[in-house]
Amino acid sequence: NAGVMQNPRHLVRRRGQEARLRCSPVKGHSHVYWYRQLPEEGLKFMVYLQKENIIDESGMPKERFSAEFPKEGPSILRIQQVVRGDSAAYFCASSQGQMNTEAFFGQGTRLTVV
Amino acid sequence: QKEVEQDPGPLSVPEGAIVSLNCTYSNSAFQYFMWYRQYSRKGPELLMYTYSSGNKEDGRFTAQVDKSSKYISLFIRDSQPSDSATYLCAMSVRGFGNEKLTFGTGTRLTIIP
């Protein structure tokens, strides 16, 4: 049973470049969540998606950040024109979307902006 | 004020000791309370969850929720070096499979052999 797969595990980008983070959910899961973890801080919710729909994006910065979860393929978190403050670990979780079912987390993508 | 407050530690205890980890929260709408364990450079894994107030026990782990005080705890008995990790509390209003979770900052725990 493959868990949540995130890639790349590590990503280095220069300021101003674009970062694309990919998340393949657990097989059969149709709900995906993205969280960001800054050093010495807990996980902060960014966005919750179902297939082809954004359910809750209340944690997403208004500019430069976008997320999608297409009908086919992984969920993508895109950060345009990255800045040093975007350096963090980005975690994806997936669930079946039912109230009392666990959301499984991936291993994260560590983004470093130089 | 953060919605969820958690002492970041670090906390070091000798092997075999009882560990107490705690979080306080301000949002009275939270009904689902979870504890996650996160090893270094890994993703969080769910340890235990509790709905509303009360206690829940699973092996060496006990989770307690006191909604009147807005205070939750995780106790680890007979602590082992393999318990060394960061422990994150998390909460949600309706459930934990279909909405966002609000996390504490995490407590870094080290069990000394």
Side-chain angles (χ1 to χ4, degrees), chain A residues 8-111:
Chain A
R9 291 293 309 278
H10 300 275
L11 182 62
V12 179
R13 284 287 178 266
R14 296 187 184 279
R15 280 178 294 171
Q17 290 185 320
E18 178 178 284
R20 285 179 139 232
L21 287 62
R22 287 177 291 278
C23 169
S24 295
V26 172
K27 188 176 181 181
H29 286 186
S30 58
H31 295 241
V32 164
Y33 317 79
W34 286 93
Y35 290 82
R36 176 166 61 177
Q37 187 173 37
L38 293 167
E40 307 304 321
E41 292 190 21
L43 283 82
K44 304 290 187 188
F45 169 78
M46 299 183 75
V47 62
Y48 168 26
L49 311 104
Q50 288 182 30
K51 285 283 189 181
E52 301 184 277
N53 290 305
I54 295 175
I55 306 303
D56 180 354
E57 57 180 346
S58 58
M60 284 280 271
K62 293 290 184 284
E63 298 177 350
R64 303 188 298 108
F65 285 73
S66 63
E68 63 177 8
F69 188 18
K71 188 176 179 181
E72 301 291 339
S75 175
I76 306 287
L77 179 68
R78 183 184 292 111
I79 311 172
Q80 296 177 305
Q81 299 175 325
V82 295
V83 301
R84 288 233 170 97
D86 297 331
S87 296
Y90 292 82
F91 289 94
C92 169
S94 75
S95 76
Q96 294 176 329
Q98 295 163 2
M99 192 169 65
N100 291 339
T101 56
E102 181 181 351
F104 292 89
F105 281 83
Q107 299 298 299
T109 293
R110 277 158 184 82
L111 171 66

Side-chain angles (χ1 to χ4, degrees), chain B residues 57-106:
Chain B
E57 189 173 318
D58 184 2
R60 296 185 295 110
F61 298 89
T62 300
Q64 287 185 352
V65 174
D66 181 350
K67 289 192 72 179
S68 63
S69 302
K70 297 191 179 68
Y71 186 88
I72 70 170
S73 301
L74 177 71
F75 298 95
I76 307 174
R77 291 183 300 280
D78 188 24
S79 54
Q80 306 293 312
S82 58
D83 295 329
S84 297
T86 296
Y87 289 79
L88 300 151
C89 63
M91 307 176 189
S92 67
V93 174
R94 295 187 306 275
F96 52 97
N98 63 357
E99 69 162 308
K100 67 181 181 183
L101 301 178
T102 302
F103 282 85
T105 54

Side-chain angles (χ1 to χ4, degrees), chain B residues 11-84:
Chain B
L11 180 63
S12 296
V13 300
E15 183 176 355
I18 296 175
V19 176
S20 172
L21 304 166
N22 312 293
C23 288
T24 59
Y25 62 96
S26 58
N27 186 352
S28 57
F30 287 140
Q31 295 196 84
Y32 291 83
F33 304 92
M34 289 135 272
W35 286 95
Y36 283 82
R37 179 174 60 196
Q38 185 177 24
Y39 291 113
S40 181
R41 303 286 182 178
K42 301 292 186 183
E45 56 176 328
L46 181 65
L47 271 179
M48 299 185 70
Y49 77 91
T50 309
Y51 170 70
S52 194
S53 285
N55 294 357
K56 188 172 185 178
E57 189 173 318
D58 184 2
R60 296 185 295 110
F61 298 89
T62 300
Q64 287 185 352
V65 174
D66 181 350
K67 289 192 72 179
S68 63
S69 302
K70 297 191 179 68
Y71 186 88
I72 70 170
S73 301
L74 177 71
F75 298 95
I76 307 174
R77 291 183 300 280
D78 188 24
S79 54
Q80 306 293 312
S82 58
D83 295 329
S84 297

